[in-house]
């Protein structure tokens, strides 16, 4: 990434030099053109005005270029952190394929998702990006629901008896959370919705 930005800066400098060289060549051609008679005298006021205009244009260009680079770095940082959350969700989806996962693993990943998203919001507050609060509130709420889906069994009114075995949404065995198939499907669907929210936030950040 750094190499790419260096190449872009070098390309701009080369373009500026080419434009300057072209201007010098055209100036010499115009001056030497026999059919053109021009007054080559210029007042100090006009000269100062031209130099001031050129310097001001360069300063403005430099300022906006720096602002653009700063904005791009901030966006890149936010998008990278969003990718970290996406990786955690993918890891949870992979774990669910076995139908169980360590208790500590489930709780720690939910906490990490929450902490990373808080960090993302802190970064965004320091930028000119205005993320709709309904989007962030929705993601926080989904992460809270994820914690409940991973660790809590809702109150069961009617126990379903199959071959004399009570079917629970979540059981605990050897420090692992064991999920029923319906609960696995419910968690997977919920995680996919969270990934959808991340895509929406990524698109929102990218176009700003």
């Amino acid at each position: 990434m750094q190499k790419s930005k260096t190449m872009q800066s070098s390309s701009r400098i080369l373009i500026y030099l080419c434009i300057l060289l072209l201007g010098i060549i055209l100036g010499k051609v115009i001056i030497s053109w026999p059919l053109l008679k021009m007054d080559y005298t210029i007042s100090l006021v006009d000269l100062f005005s031209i130099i001031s205009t050129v310097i001001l244009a360069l300063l403005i260009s430099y300022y906006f270029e720096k602002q653009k680079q700063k904005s791009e770095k901030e966006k890149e940082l936010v998008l990278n952190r969003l990718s970290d959350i996406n990786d955690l969700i993918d890891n949870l989806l992979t774990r669910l394929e076995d139908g169980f996962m360590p208790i500590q693993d489930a709780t720690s990943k939910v906490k990490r998702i929450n902490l990373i998203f808080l960090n993302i919001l802190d970064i965004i507050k320091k930028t000119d990006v205005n993320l709709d609060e309904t989007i962030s509130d929705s993601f926080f709420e989904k992460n809270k629901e994820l914690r409940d889906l991973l660790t809590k069994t809702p109150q069961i009114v009617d126990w379903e008896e199959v071959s004399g075995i009570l079917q629970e949404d979540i059981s605990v065995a050897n420090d692992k959370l064991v999920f029923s198939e319906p609960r696995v499907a419910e968690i997977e669907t919920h995680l996919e919705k969270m990934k959808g929210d991340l895509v929406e936030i990524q698109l929102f950040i990218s176009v700003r």
Side-chain angles (χ1 to χ4, degrees):
M1 182 64 68
Q2 186 64 33
K3 183 178 180 181
S4 176
K5 291 182 178 178
T6 303
M7 291 177 64
Q8 289 179 3
S9 299
S10 301
S11 298
R12 288 195 201 95
I13 294 173
L14 184 60
I15 291 171
Y16 293 151
L17 289 175
C18 290
I19 293 173
L20 178 61
L21 182 61
L22 181 61
I24 294 173
I25 295 173
L26 287 175
K28 288 184 177 294
V29 170
I30 291 173
I31 291 173
S32 61
W33 196 269
L35 298 179
L36 292 177
K37 292 183 178 180
M38 302 177 65
D39 183 8
Y40 301 120
T41 61
I42 184 170
S43 69
L44 291 176
V45 174
D46 291 336
L47 179 61
F48 178 77
S49 177
I50 292 171
I51 293 174
S52 298
T53 301
V54 171
I55 292 175
L56 183 60
L58 290 173
L59 288 175
I60 292 174
S61 176
Y62 176 80
Y63 172 77
F64 281 107
E65 183 64 26
K66 282 294 183 183
Q67 289 297 108
K68 181 182 178 181
Q69 290 178 1
K70 179 176 178 290
S71 177
E72 289 299 323
K73 287 181 180 178
E74 290 167 346
K75 286 182 181 180
E76 183 181 350
L77 181 58
V78 171
L79 292 175
N80 286 339
R81 296 300 279 162
L82 287 169
S83 294
D84 290 340
I85 294 179
N86 196 71
D87 290 342
L88 288 171
I89 292 177
D90 284 339
N91 184 269
L92 285 171
L93 286 167
T94 301
R95 290 275 189 163
L96 283 170
E97 292 176 359
D98 298 325
F100 63 86
M101 68 176 65
I103 297 174
Q104 185 62 33
D105 199 35
T107 56
S108 65
K109 279 184 171 51
V110 171
K111 289 180 180 178
R112 282 192 63 194
I113 290 173
N114 202 67
L115 289 173
I116 293 174
F117 197 71
L118 282 171
N119 177 245
I120 290 171
L121 294 182
D122 287 339
I123 297 172
I124 290 177
K125 287 178 183 178
K126 299 174 184 177
T127 69
D128 57 353
V129 176
N130 295 316
L131 183 64
D132 192 337
E133 287 188 4
T134 57
I135 297 176
S136 57
D137 290 344
S138 173
F139 189 83
F140 276 126
E141 185 61 29
K142 282 186 174 68
N143 196 45
K144 181 180 177 182
E145 292 171 0
L146 173 63
R147 179 196 63 196
D148 293 342
L149 286 171
L150 288 171
T151 61
K152 290 185 179 181
T153 300
Q155 182 180 0
I156 299 174
V157 178
D158 296 318
W159 289 76
E160 179 183 357
E161 188 171 351
V162 180
S163 301
I165 301 176
L166 295 177
Q167 304 297 307
E168 299 182 59
D169 284 330
I170 303 175
S171 302
V172 177
N174 297 326
D175 294 326
K176 290 182 176 63
L177 294 168
V178 183
F179 306 102
S180 66
E181 289 186 6
R183 176 55 68 94
V184 169
E186 188 178 3
I187 296 172
E188 288 175 339
T189 300
H190 192 78
L191 288 172
E192 291 297 339
K193 289 180 180 178
M194 292 179 70
K195 286 171 71 71
D197 282 356
L198 290 178
V199 171
E200 182 180 354
I201 297 172
Q202 287 172 329
L203 290 173
F204 185 88
I205 298 295
S206 296
V207 299
R208 292 300 185 271

